[in-house]
Amino acid sequence: MKKRRLLGHQHTHFYKAAGIDYYACQSRIRHWNGCYKVCAAVWILILCLILDHPWVSAFVILTVGAINLIGNGVSFWEYLSLIKVPIAFLVMGCGAIAFGISPDPKGDWYIRLPWFFLYFTVEAFIQAAELFLKAMGAISVLYLMALSTPASEIVMVMRKMHMPKLLTELMYMMYRFIFILTEVHSNLKTAAISRLGDADFRTSCVTFGKIGANLLILSLKKANTYYDAMVSRGYDGEFFFWEEEKPVRIWQILSLGLYTVVLICLERNL
């Protein structure tokens, strides 16, 4: 009994290490039709970009975020940890738009620095804020698709769209191999830390280099091992996924249509 619990704990830990795919497998809306979820996410993404209005972007961020929290069963802090990296990049990119550098004082406000002036204008700030909201709306929609649809279903949708098989299979294999490398890197890092591999800055740099070298070697070994495992299970150059019949409900189509109408009304300030 104790051994089964341990194996179950390891199994759960593996799926948590897989990150986004773990949440997609335990999502409350996982039983929805995969084509509908992908098409709906792409359609909302297109509307968010084409309508190009701050109220539309803010509404998409709030509603899609609520679906990610409630529908996909992701806690607030887990969702925040997932989007903190794109938020950091957006803040840096939008900051470059909001602030400017000039040899002379200009703008609504400016700061005198040793060799130049860092200035700020209200117009540039509004432009940066609108760009941030639009990008965050697009990112939220992509997370909605990723957190509710497993990678295998996305591959099946791409096949139904007649995407090249080579492209979809390479995408799926690379996606899966990311988690394998992440697990190997985590084990190497844990082993190095347990041996005081981060005692000081110099030791940390040496440890980082050794982990990178070992990761390259182990990744090649893992690739050969997993390829042999695939061939032994009948792999002949093409993946076959089990597809579950998930009909699209009428209320789902009506909901997407109503959501589209609301976005258009917000863009027209109605």
Side-chain angles (χ1 to χ4, degrees):
M1 190 69 175
K2 187 179 294 184
K3 184 177 181 181
R4 289 183 179 177
R5 290 181 178 178
L6 178 60
L7 291 175
H9 174 74
Q10 292 175 349
H11 185 71
T12 303
H13 178 73
F14 172 79
Y15 275 104
K16 287 187 176 181
I20 292 178
D21 216 39
Y22 165 76
Y23 296 113
C25 292
Q26 57 87 46
S27 172
R28 295 189 181 98
I29 59 176
R30 185 182 182 277
H31 62 279
W32 288 13
N33 184 274
C35 291
Y36 171 80
K37 287 186 288 187
V38 173
C39 293
V42 173
W43 175 244
I44 297 173
L45 174 63
I46 292 174
L47 288 176
C48 183
L49 296 177
I50 291 179
L51 296 178
D52 193 15
H53 195 280
W55 285 111
V56 173
S57 302
F59 184 77
V60 170
I61 293 172
L62 293 176
T63 53
V64 172
I67 296 175
N68 284 326
L69 296 177
I70 301 173
N72 292 325
V74 182
S75 68
F76 175 79
W77 297 110
E78 290 174 339
Y79 185 63
L80 187 63
S81 66
L82 289 173
I83 65 174
K84 65 181 179 182
V85 175
I87 287 178
F89 278 100
L90 287 178
V91 168
M92 291 187 291
C94 295
I97 297 175
F99 295 92
I101 298 175
S102 174
D104 302 317
K106 59 186 296 188
D108 297 321
W109 295 278
Y110 62 85
I111 301 175
R112 183 190 298 271
L113 296 174
W115 298 284
F116 56 86
F117 290 87
L118 183 67
Y119 68 91
F120 168 83
T121 62
V122 175
E123 182 180 357
F125 176 79
I126 294 175
Q127 182 182 2
E130 292 179 351
L131 179 62
F132 178 84
L133 289 175
K134 183 166 64 173
M136 276 303 304
I139 291 172
S140 301
V141 173
L142 292 178
Y143 270 106
L144 171 63
M145 181 179 65
L147 292 172
S148 63
T149 313
S152 59
E153 290 190 12
I154 296 178
V155 171
M156 291 301 301
V157 173
M158 295 177 67
R159 284 186 176 181
K160 290 180 180 179
M161 297 172 62
H162 301 288
M163 297 289 291
K165 291 183 179 180
L166 179 62
L167 178 63
T168 56
E169 291 181 2
L170 282 177
M171 182 196 74
Y172 184 76
M173 292 177 67
M174 292 172 62
Y175 177 76
R176 286 298 182 188
F177 208 70
I178 289 174
F179 303 137
I180 298 172
L181 294 181
T182 302
E183 185 181 9
V184 173
H185 175 265
S186 178
N187 294 335
L188 290 174
K189 186 177 180 181
T190 302
I193 293 176
S194 65
R195 292 167 176 80
L196 300 179
D198 59 343
D200 51 45
F201 179 74
R202 182 178 179 277
T203 307
S204 299
C205 292
V206 174
T207 302
F208 177 79
K210 291 181 178 180
I211 289 177
N214 290 329
L215 185 62
L216 175 62
I217 297 173
L218 290 175
S219 64
L220 295 175
K221 291 182 178 180
K222 287 279 187 180
N224 291 328
T225 301
Y226 279 91
Y227 179 75
D228 293 339
M230 290 165 55
V231 172
S232 65
R233 288 164 175 81
Y235 176 71
D236 59 352
E238 184 177 357
F239 283 120
F240 295 96
F241 298 98
W242 179 73
E243 185 177 5
E244 183 181 356
E245 291 293 334
K246 301 176 181 178
V248 180
R249 308 296 181 183
I250 296 178
W251 68 267
Q252 294 174 345
I253 300 176
L254 294 177
S255 299
L256 181 60
L258 179 61
Y259 193 85
T260 302
V261 172
V262 173
L263 293 182
I264 295 175
C265 293
L266 288 173
E267 190 269 337
R268 297 181 179 181
N269 294 321
L270 297 179

